[in-house]
Amino acid sequence: MSGGKLIHEALVECGVDTVFGYSGGANLPILDQFSRQNKSPIRFVMNRSEQCCGHAAEGYARASGRPGVVLTTSGPGLTNIITPLQDARGDSTPLIALSGQVPTAAVGTDAFQECLAVDLTRPCTKWSYQVRSVEEVRSVVHEAFRVATSGKPGPVHLDLPKDVMTAVLRGAGLPLPLQPPPAPIDHAALHRVAELLAIAKKPIFYVGQGANGAHLELRALAEACNVPVTTTVHAMGTFDEHHPNSLHMLGMHGAAYANFAIQESDLIVAIGSRFDDRTTGVLSKYAPEAKKAHTEGRGGLIHFDIEPSQFGRVINPTVAVSGDCKMSLAALLPIVAQYPPKHPREAWLKRAHELKAEFPFQYSPPSDKRLKTQSAIEAIYNGLKHREKDVVVATGVGNHQMMSCQFFRWTVPRQFITSGSLGTMGFGLPAAIGAQVACPDKIVVLIDGDGSFNMTLNDLGTIKEHQLPIKIAIMNDHRQQMVHVWQKLFFDSRLMATDNVNPDYVALAQAYGIESYCAKTTDDLPFVIDKFVNAKGPVLIDFRCVPDICLPMVAPGKGLDEMFMPGSIDINAGAEKQQPKMEGLAPS
């Protein structure tokens, strides 16, 4: 077999059913294996740029939990996936990137479409490697999948010189890598966790995407300990947000009630999260009650993480528990039964419910029936609520992203697909394509801003080609509105580079043969939402929205309990009225 065929066969052995990619001279020996004549069992999806290929592979991985695979050519084919690789690195997404390369004899000669692929990708991957012989191809591909999925998931890159891909294996290949045994569970640490859960008066579970595979164990533990739960953006749905113990998403644009509860809690149990700055606010003001309880031996901060290297990077935990969250929580469940709570939890849960009632997500609709992004998203959610467990939502980055978090209720893991750590505009449309390919029986919705959508709108061609029934909602306010607001608040209203000149999105969609509509007022919502929900194929709605601010918001340098709250800012007022009123601590 040739090197290209060995790559293909190894992908089949690793359970790959889809590869997202783009053709080019250097990857032809591999690309040829996916041809109809070769009867490949793997579906090849060609997006409209390599960056779209990478984000589609990310969307596939995040929606399915399986590694996404992308194949590009050399040179610009490789450089164009740097952003998806870094995005996958930041958001712990398992991704296998295969890039063609010039023949090994030409490496280092500045040959056509040559670049130092391994050097470029090493900082944004878990492992980057150039295959140098046909004998190692199969073994290296299997190792790439092991690295991408073990420990904290992430991207891996393989650089594939053209001469190695055309070479023929004459003897035996290298043996497959051995799988290391799983790390043992630290039962002593789990007993200490159970002790602190029994002692604490106000514990809270702060859950990240590392717990996405442990939603059943998480619910059982939260109910056994009677503890409220808040999640990061990538873990929404891991704990059903309809559950009375749910405090929904926390953080910069998260629920005020979740942020207040974190600040009041005497025991914060972080499960599969890394204390990202968007969830902590300024660290000097973070978790004052938990820090105090730590010094007094009656609480503190507990950190569950699969990578021991995460412990102490942001917060020095009272107790660190390394290992897979699902295994750790399963082992913790019978232990907590040995440590009954020393304080009743009813008062703390009552406090959590009071905070939810006092500080709900809210916005002020315009008096003239014009649309706001929040009202459009609410209408979409209400239209799909009867099948909410079957819905997967992808977004771009900006106000629409955070407002989607706020005005949907998330009920199952892997339901919300977005770019978190890197904040990549243009992520939404290709990620929705990947999610729909991974989950053909799910209802995949793209909620995008006009700024993000403009960056990758050419991938409408991929939707048309494959007739993917994606429901596209563009929150069109003709602005980079989140940046516009920051310029108003923090740069004395010096507005620069935030206005968008947009195409007619309805005409654009129609040019691709995609059903499309426009909504300008609340009177238009019943008609367009009906069309949106009931469309059998792809559909696009251009929602013409009034620019608004996303609140609550934790400003730079502020603590989680120092939020700009609804009603405290008028972004459309004159310059002299734009200074926001800072909300302080909620009454305890």
Side-chain angles (χ1 to χ4, degrees), residues 406-481:
Q406 295 177 351
F407 291 97
F408 264 69
R409 290 281 67 84
W410 308 96
T411 57
V412 293
R414 304 189 180 281
Q415 198 171 18
F416 187 70
I417 314 296
T418 198
S419 173
S421 181
L422 199 60
T424 305
M425 293 179 67
F427 174 89
L429 180 58
I433 290 170
Q436 187 72 82
V437 170
C439 307
D441 297 327
K442 296 280 189 178
I443 300 169
V444 175
V445 178
L446 168 64
I447 299 178
D448 218 344
D450 51 308
S452 283
F453 187 76
N454 288 345
M455 290 191 172
T456 50
L457 54 77
N458 57 339
D459 230 10
L460 287 174
T462 309
I463 291 178
K464 172 62 177 176
E465 178 185 356
H466 296 276
Q467 278 300 299
L468 300 172
I470 298 171
K471 302 180 185 299
I472 303 168
I474 304 174
M475 303 298 140
N476 181 6
D477 59 14
H478 289 84
R479 279 189 192 164
Q480 316 279 353
Q481 177 62 8

Side-chain angles (χ1 to χ4, degrees), residues 208-496:
Q209 71 166 330
N212 278 347
H215 61 287
L216 297 177
E217 292 80 4
L218 173 64
R219 179 168 183 147
L221 187 66
E223 291 177 346
C225 298
N226 211 13
V227 171
V229 179
T230 183
T231 71
T232 66
V233 65
H234 291 307
M236 293 189 308
T238 300
F239 190 77
D240 187 342
E241 292 192 349
H242 293 305
H243 193 287
N245 286 23
S246 174
L247 292 179
H248 308 146
M249 184 188 81
L250 83 165
M252 182 178 179
H253 289 292
Y257 40 87
N259 291 344
F260 287 134
I262 284 283
Q263 296 296 78
E264 293 181 20
S265 173
D266 57 7
L267 181 66
I268 298 171
V269 183
I271 304 172
S273 189
R274 55 188 172 87
F275 296 100
D276 179 81
D277 62 296
R278 288 294 177 104
T279 66
T280 64
V282 65
L283 284 174
S284 61
K285 298 183 178 181
Y286 179 65
E289 292 301 317
K291 291 174 180 176
K292 181 181 178 182
H294 165 80
T295 61
E296 297 174 359
R298 54 179 178 81
L301 295 105
I302 294 169
H303 194 179
F304 286 78
D305 202 286
I306 200 165
E307 283 194 353
S309 62
Q310 291 291 328
F311 301 137
R313 288 185 66 183
V314 179
I315 295 289
N316 289 316
T318 308
V319 182
V321 183
S322 63
D324 178 78
C325 284
K326 184 178 181 68
M327 294 174 62
S328 296
L329 295 188
L332 179 60
L333 268 166
I335 297 175
V336 295
Q338 304 171 29
Y339 298 86
K342 298 184 177 180
H343 307 283
R345 292 280 153 75
E346 286 73 16
W348 174 228
L349 286 173
K350 180 183 177 184
R351 171 62 177 159
H353 293 152
E354 289 172 349
L355 288 170
K356 286 174 73 173
E358 187 175 357
F359 301 104
F361 288 121
Q362 56 185 302
Y363 64 96
S364 300
S367 58
D368 55 3
K369 294 189 176 182
R370 287 183 299 166
L371 291 174
K372 279 195 174 181
T373 297
Q374 300 96 317
S375 56
I377 291 172
E378 271 192 322
I380 292 169
Y381 171 66
N382 288 331
L384 295 168
K385 190 160 53 175
H386 65 292
R387 292 191 61 188
E388 64 181 356
K389 291 185 182 296
D390 296 325
V391 174
V392 175
V393 175
T395 77
V397 171
N399 271 358
H400 69 277
Q401 175 191 32
M402 294 293 100
M403 291 170 180
S404 297
C405 296
Q406 295 177 351
F407 291 97
F408 264 69
R409 290 281 67 84
W410 308 96
T411 57
V412 293
R414 304 189 180 281
Q415 198 171 18
F416 187 70
I417 314 296
T418 198
S419 173
S421 181
L422 199 60
T424 305
M425 293 179 67
F427 174 89
L429 180 58
I433 290 170
Q436 187 72 82
V437 170
C439 307
D441 297 327
K442 296 280 189 178
I443 300 169
V444 175
V445 178
L446 168 64
I447 299 178
D448 218 344
D450 51 308
S452 283
F453 187 76
N454 288 345
M455 290 191 172
T456 50
L457 54 77
N458 57 339
D459 230 10
L460 287 174
T462 309
I463 291 178
K464 172 62 177 176
E465 178 185 356
H466 296 276
Q467 278 300 299
L468 300 172
I470 298 171
K471 302 180 185 299
I472 303 168
I474 304 174
M475 303 298 140
N476 181 6
D477 59 14
H478 289 84
R479 279 189 192 164
Q480 316 279 353
Q481 177 62 8
M482 187 170 278
V483 179
H484 182 96
V485 166
W486 278 52
Q487 288 177 336
K488 277 203 164 190
L489 295 180
F490 309 121
F491 292 86
D492 294 330
S493 293
R494 294 187 296 275
L495 304 177
M496 181 67 190

Side-chain angles (χ1 to χ4, degrees), residues 55 59 160 245 420 478 487 515 551:
H55 292 321
L160 308 172
N245 286 23
H478 289 84
Q487 288 177 336
E515 183 181 357
L551 297 173

